């Protein structure tokens, strides 16, 4: 065993999706012993419901589920979450595994697998997920600024409990600002970070800001959350 494998990953919140009661209990026992927090379900549909309601660091997904084909389940999961997924498969079929990795699985284990093997894969996947991203990793939890909640992973935003219907760019803009509440972000930085442009027209930002303002139920003359400082930048902060 390489030394790297013995690195204990920080505690993770894990969703186990496994219909075999015996395998499921064993997994839960092992993960709990390793100080992870575990929730478990036996069907793909329950798994989808879980990831829609809770934040997990990792999903262990059995491919032979009673309700949905594993590949189908993975696709649906990927439609709503970026959470790392380790596939647990009895199928020792290389083409299938390659396809699943292409479809968004982070790694796989062929059953039966040992606890050590699972720990090693988990550690590697978690390390990759936690250390990934160029520069800043996406915040793992929803951001809260006053009555505004922004969940970067689910790409959902709410104002006073009501879901905001935002375009992709509006969401990116809001999430970026919500990650730095009270900080004046220069326009140049917004262009670079949200629009991925090194130069551009201030109007682009102004137009999106005004759309975003409208959705937040405010306007430039009477700002609540979004404040523009002329010639300086933009900041998001809770209303007084
Ligand atoms: Ca199964």
């Amino acid at each position: 065993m390489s030394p790297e494998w013995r690195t204990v990953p920080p505690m993770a919140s894990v969703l186990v999706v496994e219909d075999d009661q015996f395998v499921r209990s064993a997994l839960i026992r092992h993960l709990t012993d390793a100080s992870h927090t575990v929730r478990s379900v036996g069907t793909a549909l329950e798994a989808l419901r879980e990831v829609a309601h809770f934040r997990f660091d990792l999903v262990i997904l059995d491919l032979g589920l009673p309700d949905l084909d594993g590949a189908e389940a993975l696709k649906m999961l990927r439609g709503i979450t970026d959470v790392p997924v380790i596939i647990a498969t009895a199928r020792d079929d290389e083409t299938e595994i390659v396809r699943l990795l292409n479809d968004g699985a982070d790694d796989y284990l062929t059953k039966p697998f040992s606890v050590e093997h699972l720990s090693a894969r988990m550690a590697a996947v978690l390390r990759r997920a936690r250390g990934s991203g160029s520069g800043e990793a996406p915040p793992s939890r929803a951001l809260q600024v006053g009555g505004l909640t922004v969940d970067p992973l689910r790409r959902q935003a709410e104002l006073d409990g009501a879901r905001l219907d935002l375009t992709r760019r509006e969401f990116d803009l809001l999430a970026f600002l919500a990650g730095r509440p009270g900080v004046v972000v220069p326009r140049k930085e917004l262009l670079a970070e949200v629009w991925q442009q090194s130069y551009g027209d201030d109007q682009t930002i102004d137009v999106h800001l005004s759309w975003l303002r409208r959705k937040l139920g405010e306007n430039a003359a009477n700002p609540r959350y979004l404040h523009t400082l002329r010639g300086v930048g933009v900041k998001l902060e809770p209303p007084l």
Side-chain angles (χ1 to χ4, degrees):
M1 195 180 280
S2 77
E4 180 187 355
W5 281 21
R6 280 192 290 273
T7 312
V8 179
M11 195 183 84
S13 153
V14 183
L15 175 65
V16 171
V17 189
E18 170 64 72
D19 62 318
D20 183 316
Q21 202 48 251
F22 178 76
V23 178
R24 188 161 147 185
S25 309
L27 274 173
I28 293 170
R29 197 171 340 109
H30 161 64
L31 291 167
T32 317
D33 284 351
S35 312
H36 299 301
T37 51
V38 186
R39 290 178 67 90
S40 72
V41 292
T43 65
L45 291 179
E46 287 172 297
L48 292 170
R49 207 175 49 212
E50 285 288 306
V51 297
H53 285 93
F54 301 98
R55 242 250 353 113
F56 295 99
D57 296 312
L58 183 78
V59 174
I60 299 175
L61 177 67
D62 170 37
L63 279 193
L65 293 170
D67 57 339
L68 275 182
D69 173 53
E72 205 56 44
L74 175 65
K75 247 182 224 158
M76 291 178 74
L77 272 180
R78 273 293 165 257
I80 48 177
T81 174
D82 291 332
V83 66
V85 174
I86 296 182
I87 297 288
T89 174
R91 310 169 197 179
D92 192 8
D93 175 351
E94 200 176 331
T95 354
E96 170 80 349
I97 290 166
V98 169
R99 194 164 67 84
L100 290 167
L101 291 173
N102 282 331
D103 279 348
D106 292 85
D107 208 340
Y108 71 96
L109 285 162
T110 308
K111 289 180 188 171
F113 49 80
S114 67
V115 153
E116 289 76 19
H117 205 160
L118 171 65
S119 296
R121 293 294 171 96
M122 274 185 64
V125 166
L126 287 170
R127 204 163 40 231
R128 218 151 56 210
R130 285 170 171 155
S132 74
S134 44
E136 221 162 314
S140 58
R141 305 218 179 263
L143 305 160
Q144 191 84 43
V145 181
L148 194 62
T149 310
V150 182
D151 186 333
L153 287 178
R154 288 204 197 114
R155 299 192 63 83
Q156 286 175 8
E158 288 181 357
L159 179 60
D160 301 325
R163 177 90 165 263
L164 294 169
D165 183 19
L166 304 177
T167 63
R168 188 171 64 87
R169 198 69 90 186
E170 287 162 3
F171 182 87
D172 289 344
L173 180 58
L174 183 64
F176 188 78
L177 292 169
R180 300 146 185 79
V183 174
V184 181
V185 181
R187 287 164 175 276
K188 218 180 207 170
E189 192 178 336
L190 282 179
L191 269 178
E193 296 293 335
V194 180
W195 276 265
Q196 323 266 301
Q197 290 175 8
S198 52
Y199 63 92
D201 175 357
D202 270 6
Q203 260 193 329
T204 311
I205 295 179
D206 289 333
V207 167
H208 282 87
L209 276 174
S210 83
W211 288 338
L212 187 53
R213 279 207 170 96
R214 200 177 311 162
K215 291 186 180 172
L216 294 175
E218 59 184 67
N219 57 58
N222 296 294
R224 289 181 69 230
Y225 284 90
L226 275 173
H227 302 261
T228 309
L229 286 88
R230 201 178 290 276
V232 185
V234 185
K235 75 174 167 179
L236 182 88
E237 63 185 8
L240 295 172

